[in-house]
Amino acid sequence: MIASFHRSLLRALGQGLASLTLLAGMALMALAAGLALLGAMIGLSIAIGLMAVRQRIRGGSEPPIAGTLHGA
């Protein structure tokens, strides 16, 4: 009777540990995805800013309008 109690207790602890491991892995993946998204947003804003600076240095005060021939 005591052995069956220990067996069921160990089974419950094992299942709890397995679910805790899965949840921790999912949280780590969500953190990594969030950091990747944050890095992409920061990188995109830097790239847009650098393109605007380059265009201003080249002499274009206004951004080109889509569908027009710029510099023609």
Side-chain angles (χ1 to χ4, degrees):
M1 181 165 154
I2 293 177
S4 65
F5 172 74
H6 285 295
R7 200 174 308 128
S8 63
L9 180 65
L10 285 175
R11 180 178 294 143
L13 286 175
Q15 288 174 350
L17 184 63
S19 63
L20 181 67
T21 303
L22 285 172
L23 285 174
M26 289 169 60
L28 187 63
M29 285 189 278
L31 177 67
L35 288 175
L37 183 62
L38 181 65
M41 288 190 304
I42 291 172
L44 183 62
S45 63
I46 290 172
I48 289 173
L50 288 176
M51 286 191 304
V53 166
R54 185 182 67 172
Q55 176 135 4
R56 189 148 302 180
I57 288 173
R58 289 174 64 191
S61 60
E62 296 180 10
I65 299 171
T68 61
L69 295 175
H70 188 64

